[in-house]
Amino acid sequence: MAERSPWRQLPDIELTTPVLALAADGDRLWIGGVGGLARLDGGPGPSSGGDLGTRAVPHADAVPGIATALTSVAAICRSGSWLVAGGAEGIVRHRDGEAELADVQGSGAPVAALVAIPPVGDGERQEDTGFLLAGTLGDGVLRSLDRGRSWAPATFGLDDHEVSTLCVGPGGTVLAGTADGIFTATTSVKAWRRSAGTQGVAVAAIAYADVTGTPGGVLAAASESGQTFTSRDGGRTWTPGGRVDGQVTAVVALDDGTLLVGTTDAGLWRSVDAGATWTAAADDGGSARTVLCLAVHNGAVYAGTAGGLVTSADAGATWRPAHAAPTHDLDRLLLVNGRPAVGGARSGVVRPEASAGEGATWSALADTPFPLTALAVAPDGALVASGPAGLCRNAGGDAAWTAVVAGEGGHAGVLSFRPDGFGLAAPARHGNHLLRTTDSGVSWQSVPAPFGVLPLVVLQVTAGIVLAATRDPRMGAIQLWASTDEGASWAREVRAETPWPLVRSVADPPLVSLGRTLCARDQHGHWSTWAELDEGIRAVAGGREGLAVLTRTAIWSVAATGEVGVRWDEGLPVADVLDIALSQGRLHALLTGGRVWWRDVKLGARPADEHDEPGATWPELHDHTSTKR
């Protein structure tokens, strides 16, 4: 048997990536952004200037078991072996490559801060309780007693429920910064008390450092408008200090008593006299103009900015860019005339330079709809994309995006085309209508649809039928629909219950994934199991000549008979794979951090001999079966 084609990597995608959250954890620094998490191992001491090694952590959309992914990571903390992250959609905890969405009581307010309460006791009697707190923008403070698995309100005495920051102070005192001042609680957080001198102050950030020679350490806070405060009595009372320019986002206190403040529009500020006076920190090239978070790690200070990560080895006096794994949200992969293009909700669309080969550098398409909610390739090679501002089309080359359906009426969540130019688009928010095109997306007409309040998770246009699926996340139920008249009328068909949240499809043959099963529909409306994998299906690519199927731990070939064949992921960090695409025997994989790998594969390969010709036909479909996984 001939040697298999190895995986090869395209050049890295270089995008400006905002860092929204930082959390130090021993020798690791966790970095949160719009596309998930990255981990910084080790790092420099105060005088080191070397590069920093990083390893990407799987994006939330790619980790099985999460019903609702975080669109961005705004807060991070560690509890035992669990890494806990929070954002607009809730709280997720992650361990050993697995992640789960936490059970959170409340209205679903965005999470802005997370802290772990230190272990109780001394020496060998010290006990890690797994006690965590989350600050939310609307539900006040939430408490978890089981390492982030479940959360309940802890708001007694908390007069304002817009909590932007949390801090653990001296003796385990917990401090919460709100839109109406600072509140304190004991370690048990049974009740909150307002701190004197802060009523009416919109608090942006609080920080604490156990400064040598200073009883009780140093507590520092700053308002959103730039007024700073310090406390010497554990946060019970606060004294105003100097002011900084700009809107404050973060505060950090160093062990030598130095205070640092980050702002969104005036960079970093530094005080060496307990906050009485402040000076702007030197910035290498303006990279730290917009600061979003601060952390201390291995003797160095790190700042997350709109342009990435920067670090200081001299207590914040000077700053330089730090190498870190990107945390952008590139998570979907398309092939345009055989060449890859990748997209993300906030990162837009990126593709290789048209004139170069495999060594091409990547460039972002300007003015892509933001945030990107749908992306597809039209039969004429144009890109069709959608966002809240409407549906747009880009003809390729140096062409600009052209609005084809402006406004909310063009806000699509799913797009699908047929080779003859016919296509459909489903709304991002509900299923009471569809958009229909017959000219590759140049013009669209609205047609009614029966899907109700649930948005479509699958819309697949094929030669003879259109398939659709809605998902009810409360019930874990997926409803399959079919139309034989190009979407004019629909029949409700199979209903499946599965905890697996992802539903995928291909056009030729018409297949839909439910859990770990690929299901096929015949011309009489009967559904049957066409192929079955060992794990839940994350992505499907290819067509009648053969398929590639991505599960949690493998990429499998599936032959024309529906037989699951060889693995195609040898040498590939498959846990990091977010999406796949297959065309004319070339398989592409999109990994975390915007990495794109490719290899040539033998379609129709069987375990016995990957290089045999398949010589098979598609199987006949049998009796209708409802899949339940």
Side-chain angles (χ1 to χ4, degrees):
M1 181 171 58
E3 184 178 352
R4 294 179 181 177
S5 168
W7 283 98
R8 302 175 185 177
Q9 185 173 357
L10 295 179
D12 290 340
I13 297 175
E14 301 290 343
L15 283 182
T16 298
T17 305
V19 173
L20 306 179
L22 294 169
D25 171 33
D27 286 337
R28 298 172 177 174
L29 181 71
W30 295 99
I31 304 165
V34 295
L37 295 169
R39 188 181 74 203
L40 186 78
D41 288 322
S47 61
S48 171
D51 287 340
L52 309 177
T54 59
R55 180 185 183 278
V57 173
H59 181 287
D61 279 343
V63 180
I66 300 179
T68 306
L70 298 180
T71 56
S72 61
V73 174
I76 314 166
C77 75
R78 189 84 178 188
S79 178
S81 60
W82 289 97
L83 181 69
V84 183
E89 293 84 9
I91 299 173
V92 171
R93 64 177 192 162
H94 180 282
R95 181 175 68 180
D96 298 332
E98 299 284 350
E100 59 185 44
L101 191 68
D103 179 15
V104 179
Q105 297 181 30
S107 67
V111 175
L114 287 166
V115 295
I117 303 302
V120 298
D122 298 316
E124 294 181 356
R125 294 176 298 175
Q126 194 176 73
E127 178 186 357
D128 184 355
T129 62
F131 183 6
L132 304 175
L133 296 176
T136 71
L137 302 178
D139 286 335
V141 176
L142 304 172
R143 176 173 51 200
S144 173
L145 302 177
D146 52 11
R147 302 193 186 281
R149 184 175 183 272
S150 61
W151 299 76
T155 57
F156 183 76
L158 190 67
D159 295 341
D160 190 284
H161 286 193
E162 187 174 327
V163 179
S164 57
T165 182
L166 292 170
C167 175
V168 179
T173 300
V174 183
L175 301 98
T178 76
D180 188 23
I182 296 173
F183 293 79
T184 64
T186 61
T187 302
S188 61
V189 194
K190 292 180 179 179
W192 296 91
R193 293 186 178 183
R194 183 185 294 277
S195 297
T198 65
Q199 187 169 2
V201 176
V203 179
I206 308 172
Y208 169 71
D210 185 9
V211 178
T212 303
T214 304
V218 173
L219 273 169
S223 70
E224 293 179 356
S225 61
Q227 176 64 58
T228 66
F229 300 84
T230 57
S231 174
R232 299 289 182 177
D233 58 5
R236 291 188 297 274
T237 62
W238 293 80
T239 302
R243 295 188 65 89
V244 301
D245 295 339
Q247 183 174 347
V248 173
T249 55
V251 176
V252 71
L254 308 185
D255 290 344
D256 65 357
T258 300
L259 302 178
L260 300 172
V261 167
T263 70
T264 59
D265 47 5
L268 285 150
W269 293 78
R270 184 171 184 263
S271 174
V272 294
D273 56 8
T277 60
W278 295 82
T279 57
D283 173 21
D284 181 10
S287 58
R289 186 70 180 172
T290 300
V291 179
L292 304 173
C293 53
L294 290 164
V296 180
H297 173 59
N298 278 358
V301 188
Y302 289 84
T305 77
L309 190 67
V310 298
T311 185
S312 172
D314 54 11
T318 59
W319 296 80
R320 63 179 178 83
H323 171 69
T327 55
H328 50 59
D329 63 348
L330 297 173
D331 60 0
R332 62 199 80 178
L333 174 63
L334 302 172
L335 295 179
V336 184
N337 298 321
R339 295 170 60 83
V342 297
R346 287 163 174 75
S347 300
V349 178
V350 186
R351 61 186 181 184
E353 298 288 351
S355 59
E358 295 296 346
T361 57
W362 298 79
S363 61
L365 290 182
D367 302 321
T368 298
F370 180 89
L372 184 68
T373 57
L375 179 65
V377 182
D380 61 357
L383 286 173
V384 181
S386 183
L391 195 61
C392 298
R393 192 175 186 275
N394 185 296
D398 296 327
W401 290 99
T402 301
V404 290
V405 183
E408 182 62 28
H411 186 192
V414 191
L415 294 161
S416 183
F417 288 94
R418 202 168 59 197
D420 62 0
F422 175 80
L424 292 172
R429 300 184 184 278
H430 50 72
N432 61 8
H433 75 279
L434 297 173
L435 294 174
R436 184 177 185 272
T437 182
T438 57
D439 53 14
S440 296
V442 176
S443 61
W444 299 79
Q445 301 80 39
S446 179
V447 295
F451 309 120
V453 297
L454 294 175
L456 292 186
V457 294
V458 160
L459 180 62
Q460 186 66 69
V461 177
T462 76
I465 195 169
V466 182
L467 302 177
T470 57
R471 180 176 183 272
D472 186 343
R474 299 167 302 173
M475 304 293 294
I478 296 166
Q479 177 65 58
L480 298 183
W481 303 72
S483 172
T484 57
D485 53 10
E486 298 185 332
S489 61
W490 292 86
R492 187 192 300 263
E493 299 195 340
V494 171
R495 183 179 186 273
E497 294 180 6
T498 171
W500 188 257
L502 304 179
V503 186
R504 300 295 185 246
S505 65
V506 290
D508 187 16
L511 299 174
V512 175
S513 72
L514 298 174
R516 60 189 179 94
T517 303
L518 280 172
C519 301
R521 182 189 187 278
D522 68 11
Q523 59 185 351
H524 304 295
H526 297 154
W527 288 84
S528 64
T529 296
W530 182 79
E532 197 157 25
L533 285 297
D534 293 334
E535 303 172 303
I537 294 170
R538 292 197 280 145
V540 184
R544 189 165 291 273
E545 70 280 4
L547 298 177
V549 179
L550 171 66
T551 67
R552 184 175 65 88
T553 61
I555 300 177
W556 294 96
S557 67
V558 180
T561 59
E563 176 188 8
V564 178
V566 298
R567 288 182 63 164
W568 280 338
D569 56 88
E570 300 90 344
L572 181 74
V574 69
D576 291 351
V577 177
L578 305 177
D579 200 5
I580 56 174
L582 176 63
S583 178
Q584 298 180 346
R586 178 158 293 183
L587 176 63
H588 286 81
L590 171 64
L591 284 68
T592 56
R595 297 167 289 163
V596 179
W597 294 31
W598 66 273
R599 63 166 290 192
D600 292 325
V601 296
K602 185 69 174 180
L603 298 176
R606 298 193 300 270
D609 187 349
E610 183 179 6
H611 299 274
D612 289 344
E613 291 296 332
T617 59
W618 292 100
E620 281 188 35
L621 298 172
H622 302 292
D623 292 338
H624 165 79
T625 58
S626 176
T627 301
K628 204 169 185 178
R629 298 258 169 223

